[in-house]
Amino acid sequence: MGRPVLFYHLRQPQTQSQLLQVPGCQHFNKIASSVDQPWLAQLEDNAVDVAIIELANLSQQDYVDIANSELMADIEFIFLSEGKPNPNLDKLMATGAGYHFRQPYDMTLIDDTLQDFAQDLVVNSGKRNQPFSSELDQYGLLVGSSRAMHKLYRTVRKVAVTDSNVLIIGESGAGKELVANTIHLASDRVNEPFIAINCGALSPELVDSELFGHVKGAFTGAHREHAGVFEQAEGGTLFLDEVTEMPLEHQVKLLRVLENNEYRQVGSPQVKKANVRIVAATNRDPSMAIENGHFREDLYFRLAHFPIRVPPLRDRGNDISGLAQHFLAYRNSAEKLSKTFSDDALALIQQQKWPGNVRELKHAIERAYILADNVIDVSHINISSLEPSSDQTEDDVQIPTGMRLDELEKVAIYQALEQSDGNKNDTAKQLGISVKTLYNKLSKYEDQTSSED
Ligand SMILES: Nc1ncnc2c1ncn2[C@@H]1O[C@H](COP(=O)(O)OP(=O)(O)OP(=O)(O)O)[C@@H](O)[C@H]1O
């Protein structure tokens, strides 16, 4: 089992000698930055676990390049700066980039951070790179053995024990709700409710009532008292999914309650106190969403005490085929069958970019499982990102004779969801059902698979 690798790019010789003496540093093989290449390129060339970077004289574009680098998902970063206000660095930190220490550097704190990383990295280093394993590492509800996932596990573990609000940022289907659920499970609130709402699906007329509840007779049709999500989640965690899809005028309602933890049921003069931890999620880039008027900046600051970035599936290496085998194994165990992948099918799965992330992969496996008799082959794998050939479109599903109607419905729903890039409103429209019905069906499928998990 090799030692984890620490890369350091330090500008002042004094900082370097202090750093190299701290005990936490002794757990690592160390690589010093060379002057021949920019440090970002050096990180790309080495299998680095932790990078300590002293920032100076960077352009705005440099910061954008760092934030967009795939390395952000894999490497634990400690940034050092002289401490002047730096909006570019603030933006980078808001993406969940890692730690930032300002001059004068507190070597004890840096040491603690290194010790912490070393402990986690040594525990997990023997488990990396298990190609094609169907026994991927797991943390809470999350499955995956890649470096990117281990970095995520460490962040989730740390934030779970605090009571900070969290903003989870990640592409559609990358596992944001699973991260939110895992935070709840690893927190002190675990025995209290976890309530999830999709902010994009709240009906404009009922938003107050959905959030804060109403008393009997508050409006026409309010035949009985209704508890809003803040009350339902009391003592526990409230997950605000797709928070940037909420109209701005509704976002202000959330802001108010986050500011003073108080709310009122519709039709009631009584103020209630909320004891709820908020975990929100978005698949938009928060700074872009603020710029484009999708996200109130003040709400962003309230929510993003702790931003967490969920890596897209394409940055998770062998987890792609590992997850495919994981889903297949659990499906086999539920059905008491032993279907397998052909080598070509597994290779195709591993090569794909999966723009719909784990959800798209999971649905593709589910669909292939239903369509294949024993061996899942390339022909059973529907990859929405591939161009359909001219005489066969993605709509031409080969339906095996005797396929059950409920399974047929499931295939149709998954396919529509993939075609609409995971957008549930568009999917529901396409299928001619209400968004609520779609949610109910998807949550039924989730329950089926999680009882298998
Ligand atoms: N690491 C993982 N291990 C196992 N299953 C996963 C993982 N990540 C996601 N999934 C599965 O992928 C599906 C999508 O996950 P989830 O709903 O958490 O994604 P999301 O990012 O919240 O999606 P959306 O942006 O549409 O809200 C779920 O079925 C979930 O169980």
Side-chain angles (χ1 to χ4, degrees), residues 352-363:
Q352 289 311 306
K353 295 274 182 234
W354 299 106
N357 292 292
V358 187
R359 176 183 295 112
E360 186 186 358
L361 172 66
K362 190 171 177 178
H363 291 175

Side-chain angles (χ1 to χ4, degrees), residues 141-144 149 170-179 239 241-242 283 316 323 326-327 358-359 362 422 424 446:
L141 302 173
L142 299 160
V143 178
M149 285 307 282
E171 293 179 10
S172 177
K176 296 184 294 300
E177 179 155 2
L178 234 45
V179 168
F239 177 51
D241 200 4
E242 299 191 15
N283 50 24
R316 300 191 205 169
L323 276 169
H326 172 86
F327 294 135
V358 187
R359 176 183 295 112
K362 190 171 177 178
K424 286 156 198 135
E446 287 294 318

Side-chain angles (χ1 to χ4, degrees), residues 250-269:
H250 294 169
Q251 291 183 21
V252 76
K253 296 172 195 282
L254 283 177
L255 181 69
R256 280 197 211 112
V257 55
L258 295 188
E259 274 168 354
N260 55 17
N261 293 326
E262 287 179 355
Y263 66 94
R264 273 190 312 113
Q265 283 182 295
V266 179
S268 164

